């Protein structure tokens, strides 16, 4: 029968004979066992991994692996090695039994099986296993109890040693503390003293006998009431006694002491004793008063420092910030609590500026002071420029202790200075460019017209080919001069209201079709409410294309090109920071790239004509100077934001209020007209221009008078006023320039017809200044076709 009354014992039967299995199952289940079955050793080994039986009946002869191998596998597993294994066999060989027992089996049952024998052996071994388990568990509990007892004993020993050590330390501290220790018995008013009584008060311990009354005698009369009140409070509240008061020493002087007392209650919860210690704090109080006075003075000085707008910083010799005034908070954006203790080099400077700081500290160590300009950054990573004064502060022994730094923000001043110097430089370059352009146009004009004369006289194919090459190159030179003029004076083109989004859309189509696929094009333009501008669409198209090409060239390995537009209001502060800006409404067009960026020294020169960072032959250096000239002619300005290694952004700002009347009289293609004997007065200080113009006009049935300056022109016009149909006047001549000459001629004849000729300006501005007498203006170099068309147009004008 089953000895386990609490739960069923689990028996695993491993046998490949179905008849044996069924007999054993019926027998064991009848007697209340829970039976598991495995038909071979492999299944048995796998089964016990997740369902541990209490005992295993194992047949020896089985396929795949026999009972011996199965037993060996079970005993080699720590999880199953303690399960009793009983072999079932038809053999009765002692050698096999010894082998099985050596493998770990506990018994053998020989077939044919006897039910009583099977039950007896199973119950015996289950009972032995349970007893073994119980004994094992009891042994473990006993070992744990012994271990816990040993740990408790070790702790007690350690605590005893610590208590002895603490007691020794306490006794030593009492002797070395320099304090007065006391124990006041409330019922008898006796006080026992210990510690440094004689050192503090000058009395020996016997001289202090007399209990509380003796102690009260030593307290300053003005402080006795305070002492008694504190005693009453402690007796009532049973809290700690704490009071500072004056006590008389044996030599008659008073000292200030601090009394800290702790109460002890008796069995009735009444105060029985108060023990405590008394400390002489006379020197501490004096030092405290001095410190408060010093702190007050420092607060007053700090208040004065906070009034100033300069940033005042004190840092120690390892650059840790020790003082940070309100001016520093306003300048850098870091609050005092954020800055104190931080490393100033990491907080205020970029890595590339640290080398300069080493030189400053070297000078500071040698001379004790330094002043100059520094580039710093704020909390928002904004770059600023400060005028900085450094002073080395020494301690009482003359050793360097800290550095006092006073910084004044001069960012706006430096920006305006840089803009002013740049404007002056650009104006000087513009003046030089204007002069060069004027001389080049004067040189190109007769060449252009001579080429056209030769085309009529040299009809052979080879000559025509050479003349075409010459004409093409003259036009190229003229275009180059025109770009210089755009830089130097700007230009006035076909101005009209423009929608910025349309211009950007055209640029987008071009760059998407022509730029490398490695460059991602991003367009950010508001779908509505973007203000219109007044300008020349062709010129602005050229501006944006130049900037986009530069952005492309800055990203040889690809990147992001972003074009955006937005409404932009310029206030008075922004206008003060940008000398070309005026208060009002603008449209900002931005061209951003993620390319190489530019250093500060290069940014200062990028708008200069013929300055380029590109390789030889890959840029004329006129792209950005042309951009600047065109934008200035539109009353706008250009900002550049760049950082080396991160990219560049050009911000083109154009006002929305500029309006210019357009002149379309010269538009359209016309047939080249000939003259009918009209007399034309040609006024120019260049001999070659006069001669070529005279030759071409006479070839086309005009009569011509020539004058080499304004004075000569006035004399000729006065003589031939009735015959002269049109006066062709150069705007720049020595002695008397073109505008002066025209004004004098107008006084002779208010209805005079004049064609202005210039190598510098364009028609609208010149017409505006000289009035209705100047019917049109030819820009040098002009072709013979341009001359004939404009001349006929002016002659036919009433």
């Amino acid at each position: 029968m089953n000895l386990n009354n609490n739960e069923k014992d689990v028996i695993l039967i491993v046998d490949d004979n179905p008849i044996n299995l069924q007999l054993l199952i019926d027998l064991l289940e009848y007697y209340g066992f829970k039976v598991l079955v495995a038909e071979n050793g492999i299944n048995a080994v796998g089964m016990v991994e997740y369902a541990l039986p209490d005992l295993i009946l194992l047949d020896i002869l089985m396929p795949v692996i026999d009972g011996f191998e199965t037993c060996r596998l079970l005993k080699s597993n720590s999880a199953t090695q303690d399960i009793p294994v009983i072999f079932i066999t038809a053999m009765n060989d002692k050698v096999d039994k010894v082998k099985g027992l050596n493998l770990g089996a506990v018994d053998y049952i020989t077939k044919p099986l006897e039910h009583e024998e099977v039950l007896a052996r199973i119950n015996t071994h289950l009972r032995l296993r349970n007893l073994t388990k119980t004994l094992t568990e009891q042994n473990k509990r006993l070992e744990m109890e012994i271990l816990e007892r040993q740990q408790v004993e070790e702790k007690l020993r350690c605590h005893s040693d610590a208590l002895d050590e603490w007691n020794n330390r306490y006794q030593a501290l009492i002797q070395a503390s320099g304090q007065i220790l006391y124990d006041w018995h409330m019922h008898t008013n006796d006080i026992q003293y210990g510690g440094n009584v004689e050192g503090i008060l000058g009395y020996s311990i016997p001289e202090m006998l007399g209990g509380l009354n003796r102690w009260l005698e030593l307290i300053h009369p003005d402080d006795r009431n305070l002492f008694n009140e504190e005693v009453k409070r402690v007796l009532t509240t049973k809290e700690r006694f704490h009071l500072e008061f004056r006590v008389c020493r044996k030599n008659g002087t008073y000292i200030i002491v601090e009394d800290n007392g702790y109460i002890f209650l008796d069995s009735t919860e009444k105060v029985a004793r108060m023990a405590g210690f008394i400390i002489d704090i006379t020197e501490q109080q004096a030092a405290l008063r001095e410190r408060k006075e010093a702190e007050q003075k420092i607060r007053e000085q700090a208040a004065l420092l906070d009034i100033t707008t300069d940033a005042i910083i004190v840092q120690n010799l390892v650059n840790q910030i020790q003082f940070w005034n309100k001016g520093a908070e306003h300048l850098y954006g870091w609050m005092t609590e954020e800055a104190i203790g931080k490393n100033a080099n990491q907080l205020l400077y970029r890595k590339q500026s640290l080398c300069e700081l080493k030189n400053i500290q070297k000078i500071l160590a040698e001379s004790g002071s330094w002043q100059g300009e520094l580039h710093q950054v704020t909390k928002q990573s904004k770059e600023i420029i400060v005028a900085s004064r450094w002073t080395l502060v020494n301690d009482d022994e003359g050793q360097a202790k800290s550095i006092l730094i006073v910084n004044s923000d001069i960012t706006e001043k430096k920006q305006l200075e840089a803009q002013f110097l740049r404007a002056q430089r650009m104006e000087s370059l513009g003046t030089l460019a204007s002069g060069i352009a004027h001389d080049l146009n004067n040189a190109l004009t007769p060449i252009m017209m001579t080429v056209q004369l030769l085309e009529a006289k040299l009809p052979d194919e080879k000559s025509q080919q050479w003349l075409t090459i010459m004409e093409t190159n003259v036009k190229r030179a003229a275009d180059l001069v025109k770009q210089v003029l755009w830089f130097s004076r700007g230009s006035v083109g076909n101005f009209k209201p423009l929608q910025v989004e349309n211009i950007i859309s055209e640029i987008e189509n071009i760059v998407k079709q022509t730029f490398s696929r490695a460059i991602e094009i991003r367009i950010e333009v508001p779908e509505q409410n973007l203000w219109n501008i007044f300008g020349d669409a062709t010129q602005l198209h050229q501006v944006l294309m130049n900037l986009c090409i530069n952005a492309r060239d800055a990203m040889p390995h690809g990147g992001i090109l972003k074009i955006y537009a937005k409404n932009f209001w310029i206030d008075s502060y922004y206008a003060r920071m940008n000398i070309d800006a005026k208060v009002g409404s603008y449209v900002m067009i931005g061209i951003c790239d993620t390319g190489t960026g530019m250093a500060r020294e290069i940014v200062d020169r990028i708008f200069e004509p013929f300055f380029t960072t590109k390789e030889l032959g890959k840029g004329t250096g006129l792209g950005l100077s042309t951009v600047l000239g065109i934008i200035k002619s539109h009353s706008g300005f250009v900002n550049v934001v760049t950082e080396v290694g991160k990219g560049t952004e050009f911000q083109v700002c154009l006002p929305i209020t500029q309006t210019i009347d357009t002149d379309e009289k010269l538009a359209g293609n016309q047939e080249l007209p000939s003259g009918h004997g009209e007399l034309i007065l040609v006024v120019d200080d260049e001999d070659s221009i006069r001669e070529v113009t005279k030759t071409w006009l006479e070839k086309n049935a005009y009569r011509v008078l020539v004058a080499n300056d304004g004075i000569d022109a006035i004399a000729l016009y006065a003589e031939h006023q009735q015959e002269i149909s049109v006066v062709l006047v150069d705007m720049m001549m020595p002695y008397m320039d073109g505008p002066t000459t025209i004004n004098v001629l107008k006084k002779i004849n208010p209805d005079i017809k004049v064609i202005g000729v210039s190598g510098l300006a364009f028609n609208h501005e010149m017409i505006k200044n000289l009035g209705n007498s100047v019917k049109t203006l030819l820009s040098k170099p002009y072709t013979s076709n341009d001359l004939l068309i404009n001349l006929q147009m002016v002659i036919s004008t009433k």
Side-chain angles (χ1 to χ4, degrees), residues 108-219:
Y108 265 81
I109 300 177
T110 305
K111 297 179 182 179
L113 303 177
E114 293 291 338
H115 291 180
E116 290 80 4
E117 180 186 3
V118 171
L119 290 175
R121 291 181 184 273
I122 287 174
N123 284 327
T124 297
H125 289 293
L126 284 176
R127 186 163 51 250
L128 288 173
R129 184 171 188 268
N130 290 334
L131 290 173
T132 301
K133 287 172 64 177
T134 301
L135 183 60
T136 302
E137 291 173 358
Q138 288 176 348
N139 287 337
K140 288 182 178 179
R141 283 198 297 270
L142 183 59
E143 289 175 358
M144 289 298 295
E145 289 176 0
I146 293 172
L147 179 61
E148 289 174 359
R149 181 173 298 175
Q150 290 174 343
Q151 291 175 345
V152 169
E153 290 175 353
E154 179 63 22
K155 287 181 180 179
L156 288 174
R157 187 185 63 78
C158 292
H159 289 166
S160 179
D161 293 344
L163 186 60
D164 292 340
E165 183 181 355
W166 174 251
N167 186 53
N168 294 333
R169 289 182 179 179
Y170 176 71
Q171 294 299 329
L173 285 172
I174 289 175
Q175 297 301 322
S177 66
Q179 302 173 359
I180 298 175
L181 303 179
Y182 66 87
D183 187 357
W184 175 24
H185 294 263
M186 297 289 190
H187 300 308
T188 63
N189 266 342
D190 289 334
I191 301 177
Q192 295 178 352
Y193 293 97
N196 193 22
V197 176
E198 190 166 355
I200 294 176
L201 297 176
Y203 296 105
S204 64
I205 290 180
E207 290 176 311
M208 293 295 295
L209 296 177
L212 182 60
N213 293 332
R214 172 60 175 152
W215 179 246
L216 288 172
E217 291 174 359
L218 301 179
I219 298 175

Side-chain angles (χ1 to χ4, degrees), residues 319-385:
N319 304 316
Q320 281 185 320
I321 296 171
Q322 298 176 322
F323 178 77
W324 185 268
N325 76 331
K326 291 293 183 184
E329 289 184 351
H330 295 319
L331 177 58
Y332 298 110
W334 297 99
M335 294 297 99
T336 300
E337 57 272 17
E338 295 176 301
I340 295 296
K342 295 295 193 304
N343 187 299
N345 290 2
Q346 297 174 359
L347 197 70
L348 303 178
Y349 301 93
R350 297 199 188 279
K351 290 183 178 179
Q352 53 266 34
S353 302
L354 297 181
C355 183
E356 183 181 2
L357 293 180
K358 292 181 181 178
N359 295 331
I360 292 173
Q361 291 185 335
K362 182 179 179 182
I363 295 171
L364 198 64
E366 294 173 354
S367 62
S369 64
W370 175 88
Q371 63 179 8
E373 295 179 2
L374 292 173
H375 291 268
Q376 298 179 327
V377 290
T378 67
K379 183 178 182 179
Q380 293 75 29
S381 297
K382 175 186 175 184
E383 288 195 7
I384 60 173
I385 305 173

